[in-house]
Amino acid sequence: MTRLVLKPGKERSLLRRHPWVFEGSVAGLEGRARPGDTVEVVADDGRFLARAAWSPSSKIRARVWTFDQNESIDHAFFKRKVAASVARRQRHPMLSGQDGLRLIHGESDGLPGVIADRFGKVIVLQLTSAGADKWRTAIVAGLTQATGCETVYERSDSEVRGLEGLEPVSGCIAGELPVETLTIVENGVRMVVDVVGGHKTGFYLDQRDNRLLTGQLAAGRTVLNCFCYTGGFSLQALAGGASSVLSVDSSAPALEIARTHLALNPQLDAARAEWLQADVFEALRQFKRDERRFDLIVLDPPKFAPSAAHADRAARAYKDINLFGFRLLNPGGILMTYSCSGGIGQELFQKIVAGAASDAGVDARIIHRLSAAPDHPIGLAVPEGEYLKGLAVEVG
Ligand code: SAH
């Protein structure tokens, strides 16, 4: 097998089971390999370290499949890994009954570059690395076998594929999409999942538990949900007994789906919901001018900082919306604020929010620290996997 030889000392992170080999760690390749081929990663003294997928176009030159010298990378390997990932969800009491569930969460489930979300009987697959792309057939077979789902729809249209030298791919790769609108029930609320045209795989499963908490905190409160997408937080707030819910997003298609959710959930009081298509940065300023106030505000913006290089500009954007969030809260109100930027760590995010509270002149305390739901685990060896962080902050 082709060997990927590391520079002296560059084996350390692999010995800690971190699964990436960066460009700068590579001394050379002994033999030939095409993108996605499995190579044996060895230290400069020839010691075996891992088997990994070769990715010549990416700064991450190889992503590890296994640290075990006795394990070969073949069809059976993917079947085992996929089955184990699915079984972990089945064992978790908060996950086993969910019909919207992340089944595979990339590196943290030992499958770099592989994301698989299940929505009822449909699995949406996203492959973002050369190695994952090469093993598509084995991964799909593993998924259909482990779940009994027949339909797998590929949404490998994320920009990060470009970094791996891969073209965007989307479409059905197993079975057929149901003709009727696909829906899931999340904590008692029926939600539409647009697997073909929606963001990411069609739905933000990572916020499931935080949406539930929002519902629990919303009783009797006036709620403002910023960056509402298809209304996940808004619907849970209504279900939790919010007195009114104003939801803002710039995307017309997302809001269109959001509105249909009220018809799909007749148990919710549609008269309490208002949807606004607007830029959140402008809408917050307008609410301030109009002297509107809210008891609970959710800020769940898109990724302002995809990497650390964007951190400065992103920090200013987070500061801005959080500042206005605090200014628009009634005394005793709660701000539920998130960042899904890998480039902004938990500590920095908390500092930004603290700065916003201080500029707004409010007394504020963290009442909940929030993160992604447990079907989006963070491998202890891969802290980079931690992207979503949030704070529930009470003021006054
Ligand atoms: N909270 C949502 C997910 C939010 S995703 C959920 O629980 O499902 C981020 C959303 O922000 C997207 O719907 C996108 O359309 C919207 N968005 C991005 N920039 C925006 C802006 N400047 N103003 C308003 N909405 C914006």
Side-chain angles (χ1 to χ4, degrees), residues 8-19:
K10 294 297 185 184
E11 69 281 10
R12 270 185 227 123
S13 65
L14 283 129
L15 293 173
R16 287 196 304 266
R17 301 179 82 83
H18 188 276

Side-chain angles (χ1 to χ4, degrees), residues 48-344:
F48 172 91
L49 296 168
R51 293 206 171 86
W54 173 238
S55 191
S57 326
S58 170
K59 280 196 161 63
I60 303 173
R61 282 293 151 92
R63 291 170 193 259
V64 172
W65 292 129
T66 184
F67 293 100
D68 178 355
Q69 192 160 10
N70 298 316
E71 193 164 43
S72 19
I73 306 309
D74 50 18
H75 234 78
F77 169 84
F78 288 95
K79 198 174 147 188
R80 264 194 325 273
K81 292 296 259 196
V82 170
S85 197
V86 171
R88 281 195 283 278
R89 273 71 179 172
Q90 279 162 355
R91 281 202 300 267
H92 193 302
M94 285 163 72
L95 298 178
S96 56
Q98 299 288 350
D99 61 354
L101 189 64
R102 174 148 296 189
L103 298 173
I104 304 175
H105 189 52
E107 273 76 354
S108 298
D109 279 305
L111 288 168
V114 184
I115 298 291
D117 287 346
R118 175 182 182 157
F119 302 111
K121 283 273 166 216
V122 174
I123 293 172
V124 181
L125 180 65
Q126 187 171 72
L127 304 173
T128 57
S129 68
D133 195 76
K134 184 190 164 84
W135 290 100
R136 173 183 285 102
T137 312
I139 294 164
V140 169
L143 281 165
T144 51
Q145 260 180 35
T147 59
C149 294
E150 284 166 11
T151 302
V152 180
Y153 190 89
E154 183 165 359
R155 277 294 302 272
S156 301
D157 49 13
S158 147
E159 284 159 23
V160 295
R161 266 175 78 92
L163 304 175
E164 295 269 327
L166 300 167
E167 297 291 320
V169 180
S170 47
C172 234
I173 46 174
E176 278 172 28
L177 278 182
V179 280
E180 65 276 16
T181 306
L182 186 63
T183 64
I184 56 167
V185 176
E186 186 190 84
N187 294 312
V189 173
R190 186 164 290 282
M191 301 289 301
V192 170
V193 181
D194 180 8
V195 302
V196 178
H199 292 179
K200 302 215 277 190
T201 60
F203 192 74
Y204 291 90
L205 290 168
D206 51 0
Q207 290 283 26
R208 182 193 309 113
D209 294 352
N210 300 328
R211 286 195 281 255
L212 182 64
L213 176 65
T214 302
Q216 290 163 334
L217 295 174
R221 292 183 187 255
T222 54
V223 176
L224 171 65
N225 179 14
C226 295
F227 309 95
C228 70
Y229 188 50
T230 59
F233 284 102
S234 314
L235 295 158
Q236 287 296 334
L238 287 172
S243 55
S244 67
V245 182
L246 172 56
S247 310
V248 186
D249 202 282
S250 55
S251 159
L255 286 172
E256 207 176 296
I257 295 180
R259 286 196 185 93
T260 66
H261 281 143
L262 291 168
L264 276 176
N265 291 279
Q267 78 279 18
L268 303 180
D269 183 355
R272 297 182 183 189
E274 193 187 334
W275 309 97
L276 176 66
Q277 187 187 350
D279 177 275
V280 165
F281 293 86
E282 286 168 19
L284 290 171
R285 286 169 167 77
Q286 188 60 47
F287 297 147
K288 183 78 187 95
R289 283 194 292 272
D290 296 346
E291 293 180 24
R292 280 190 78 159
R293 295 272 184 144
F294 305 89
D295 302 322
L296 174 66
I297 299 179
V298 178
L299 299 173
D300 183 26
K303 210 189 296 177
F304 290 149
S307 74
H310 306 81
D312 273 357
R313 198 158 42 106
R316 282 195 293 278
Y318 286 117
K319 173 77 178 286
D320 185 81
I321 55 174
N322 281 282
L323 173 61
F324 276 88
F326 282 122
R327 283 181 175 160
L328 293 172
L329 275 179
N330 281 320
I334 298 173
L335 182 68
M336 298 185 80
T337 179
Y338 299 91
S339 161
C340 60
S341 297
I344 302 266

